[in-house]
């Protein structure tokens, strides 16, 4: 189905976020998600696809990422800048919710980028700084922690 200008009419895919918001996106954009791509190929995407694990706020971000990475005309430098701006290490809640959505939707390029961002946040940090940054409660006793440090002395600088 091509018009005289050789533009192809894209099938639209309808997604519904966990909080009920509807998003209509082109099939090529949805295909960035292996989960959605499989549903499209299995002809399970003829109706609205509910995404019970993804809020509207996060789904909008994921769609924005997929649109940018689907755009064939995207300049590599512009895409690098977009990706750098997309990851905000100061907004951990959004970062982790987006990471969970990327995992749920199986968008490997987004997963890779966000996991790298989290790894960079952890790089060269001692356990106490990491616990504080990620609000992790230390449930080891002093003796258990000393034992772990002894068994894995190669991993600690002290």
């Amino acid at each position: 189905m091509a018009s005289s200008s050789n533009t192809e009419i894209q099938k639209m895919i309808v997604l519904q976020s966990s909080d009920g918001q509807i998003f209509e996106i082109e099939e090529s954009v949805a295909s960035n998600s292996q989960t959605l791509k499989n549903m499209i190929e299995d002809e399970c995407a003829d109706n609205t696809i509910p995404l019970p694990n993804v809020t509207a706020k996060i789904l909008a971000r994921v769609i924005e990422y997929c649109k940018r990475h689907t755009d064939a005309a995207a300049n590599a430098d512009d895409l690098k800048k977009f990706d750098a701006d997309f990851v905000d290490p100061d907004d951990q809640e959004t970062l982790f919710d987006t990471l969970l959505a990327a995992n749920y939707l199986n968008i490997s390029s987004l997963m890779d980028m966000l996991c790298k961002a989290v790894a960079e946040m952890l790089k060269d940090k001692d356990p106490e700084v990491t616990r504080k940054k990620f609000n992790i409660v230390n449930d080891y006793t002093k003796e258990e922690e000393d034992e772990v440090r002894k068994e894995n002395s190669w991993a600690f600088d002290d």
Side-chain angles (χ1 to χ4, degrees):
M1 293 179 77
S3 68
S4 59
S5 64
N6 288 335
T7 57
E8 191 174 312
I9 297 175
Q10 281 276 325
K11 178 180 178 185
M12 299 304 283
I13 305 298
V14 180
L15 308 174
Q16 183 176 17
S17 66
S18 63
D19 43 357
Q21 191 164 335
I22 299 294
F23 295 83
E24 195 170 326
I25 62 174
E26 294 178 345
E27 183 176 342
S28 61
V29 173
S31 291
N32 280 278
S33 160
Q34 192 61 49
T35 302
L36 296 177
K37 184 177 182 179
N38 291 342
M39 293 179 80
I40 292 165
E41 289 171 355
D42 294 342
E43 298 179 2
C44 298
D46 293 335
N47 297 314
T48 301
I49 300 173
L51 301 173
N53 295 349
V54 186
T55 64
K57 174 187 170 188
I58 300 303
L59 185 54
R61 284 179 52 79
V62 170
I63 290 170
E64 177 185 13
Y65 173 87
C66 291
K67 282 181 179 177
R68 288 291 186 106
H69 283 261
T70 301
D71 184 5
N75 174 314
D77 290 335
D78 291 343
L79 205 51
K80 276 185 180 181
K81 181 177 177 356
F82 170 81
D83 286 352
D85 292 343
F86 188 85
V87 177
D88 180 3
D90 294 330
D91 186 357
Q92 285 186 24
E93 183 177 353
T94 300
L95 176 68
F96 286 112
D97 286 347
T98 307
L99 183 58
L100 290 171
N103 183 49
Y104 177 69
L105 293 168
N106 196 2
I107 305 170
S108 59
S109 61
L110 182 55
M111 278 286 298
D112 291 347
M113 181 178 79
L114 296 175
C115 285
K116 181 180 177 187
V118 172
E120 287 294 324
M121 292 166 65
L122 294 170
K123 186 177 175 182
D124 300 326
K125 303 288 190 287
D126 68 37
E128 280 307 311
V129 172
T130 301
R131 284 187 193 110
K132 186 174 181 178
K133 180 148 187 83
F134 293 102
N135 298 315
I136 299 170
V137 176
N138 183 3
D139 57 355
Y140 283 113
T141 64
K142 175 77 171 120
E143 293 78 22
E144 289 171 327
E145 190 169 342
D146 289 344
E147 182 64 27
V148 168
R149 285 180 178 272
K150 182 179 171 187
E151 289 174 3
N152 300 287
S153 60
W154 56 269
F156 299 96
D157 290 335
D158 7 301

